[in-house]
Amino acid sequence: MSTFKAPKGTYDLVPPDSAAFLAVRAGLAAPLRSAGYGYVETPAFEHVELFARGVGESTDIVSKEMYAFETKGGSRLALRPEGTASVLRAALEANLHKAGNLPVKLWYSGSYYRYERPQKGRYRHFSQVGAEALGAEDPALDAELIILADQAYRSLGLRHFRILLNSLGDRTCRPAYRAALQDFLRGLDLDDDTRRRIEINPLRVLDDKRPQVQEQLAAVPLLRDHLCDACRAYHAQVRGLLDAAGVRYEEDPKLVRGLDYYTRTTFEFLHDGLGAQSAVGGGGRYDGLSEMIGGPALPSVGW
């Protein structure tokens, strides 16, 4: 036996479990490949600033969980904590958005890294499959990606999962909601960390899973009551397309996801048989992310 063990919070994939892993990855990828999504692979580390700008400095992922380090040459790099910012960076660098018809449709898989407390179903190193459609603001794309994920999970034999759906609005209607939300949250009994979050990104407070916080959020203002007409119409179109495809979902007005870049459509796939770590996937629209990382306007959606 070796003197060394895998670092805390990581895992090795060895037979026979590795065969199941490969089968799951192939099953998730199959609908994407059939729908014309091309494969992209990015480095396991990127410049820290890519995630600080894109994912958001107020998120736990960037402020507490990112593995960041300085190279011998003085560059600040980070092990990738999520996939979307890296895939968008790679697409922009390769000028894929200039090569032909938009949207650019990509899928990827790989390992990701977050320094968090290891627990059942949550590791510091994890694998995921993702898909991105870059360069088009179209409700049909949002619906397509949700439908493809639904097909992928069903192809693996999953049946008892739920799809949660919400709209986060856009730069037109979200500022007024942000102000109303901040006014409400400032009146609650919250710890100092959460109070700081109210000032930086109050939406993140809605994502707080602690019972003592959730109890106080019972009467919180909801974004759906503050949506502008354009966002309301967009969300109605997404819902209509999912209804037409026979995909069942639940509206969850408090669903915000954990990253700063989401706009409009946001969704999550939950499997209640998994206990506390019940989310098996999720994503949404991120129309401003390209500009955040120095690219052109490139409205996009993914999971």
Side-chain angles (χ1 to χ4, degrees):
M1 188 176 122
S2 166
T3 310
F4 299 102
K5 292 186 175 181
K8 183 179 179 180
T10 66
Y11 54 86
D12 297 310
L13 281 168
V14 298
D17 290 344
S18 54
F21 169 85
L22 291 174
V24 168
R25 186 171 67 179
L28 292 172
L32 298 168
R33 294 171 66 181
S34 297
Y37 285 69
Y39 183 70
V40 59
E41 191 160 313
T42 64
F45 53 86
E46 300 267 7
H47 291 285
V48 165
E49 194 61 19
L50 175 69
F51 302 116
R53 280 201 212 172
V55 176
E57 298 202 54
S58 72
T59 61
D60 285 350
I61 291 170
V62 171
S63 65
K64 298 178 183 177
E65 297 169 4
M66 201 157 65
Y67 283 91
F69 57 95
E70 190 168 312
T71 68
K72 292 176 181 177
S75 299
R76 288 275 295 159
L77 300 177
L79 297 181
R80 58 189 181 190
E82 63 93 44
T84 300
S86 294
V87 169
L88 181 54
R89 191 271 310 151
L92 291 170
E93 193 169 333
N95 285 315
L96 297 184
H97 59 300
K98 297 179 181 176
N101 294 332
L102 295 174
V104 176
K105 295 184 176 184
L106 302 169
W107 77 275
Y108 61 92
S109 71
S111 293
Y112 298 84
Y113 310 89
R114 296 182 190 176
Y115 188 83
E116 49 189 346
R117 185 169 63 84
Q119 52 192 292
K120 183 176 172 59
R122 187 179 286 269
Y123 297 91
R124 291 174 173 174
H125 143 240
F126 58 95
S127 300
Q128 70 180 35
V129 171
E132 317 291 348
L134 312 174
E137 188 178 2
D138 184 349
L141 267 186
D142 303 36
E144 173 181 289
L145 277 157
I146 294 170
I147 291 164
L148 288 170
D150 184 72
Q151 289 174 353
Y153 288 133
R154 290 183 185 285
S155 76
L156 296 175
L158 283 184
R159 290 294 177 269
H160 304 295
F161 61 86
R162 298 182 292 131
I163 304 173
L164 304 183
L165 185 68
N166 193 23
S167 174
L168 294 182
D170 63 11
R171 63 188 72 178
T172 302
C173 53
R174 205 187 303 177
Y177 173 68
R178 176 190 167 100
L181 181 59
Q182 284 176 320
D183 285 346
F184 175 85
L185 295 174
R186 286 176 187 134
L188 303 184
D189 179 21
L190 301 168
D191 59 86
D192 290 343
D193 253 6
T194 309
R195 291 207 163 278
R196 276 192 291 275
R197 190 168 283 159
I198 293 169
E199 306 311 318
I200 301 167
N201 185 358
L203 279 176
R204 295 285 292 113
V205 181
L206 300 183
D207 204 31
D208 197 314
K209 301 294 191 284
R210 291 174 296 176
Q212 67 269 31
V213 176
Q214 283 300 318
E215 283 169 19
Q216 296 185 70
L217 295 177
V220 70
L222 299 176
L223 220 165
R224 69 181 178 197
D225 299 326
H226 291 75
L227 293 180
C228 62
D229 290 344
C231 285
R232 205 180 301 278
Y234 192 98
H235 194 56
Q237 285 181 273
V238 174
R239 292 201 315 267
L241 290 163
L242 293 176
D243 291 340
V247 172
R248 298 176 64 181
Y249 58 88
E250 303 167 24
E251 289 272 4
D252 181 354
K254 291 183 184 174
L255 178 66
V256 295
R257 305 275 302 147
L259 310 175
D260 280 1
Y261 52 60
Y262 285 117
T263 57
R264 289 195 171 174
T265 307
T266 185
F267 53 90
E268 203 159 88
F269 286 75
L270 301 181
H271 196 293
D272 294 324
L274 294 174
Q277 306 298 336
S278 59
V280 294
R285 177 158 284 281
Y286 47 94
D287 290 344
L289 179 57
S290 180
E291 292 121 299
M292 286 181 198
I293 64 171
L298 207 64
S300 303
V301 60
W303 49 254

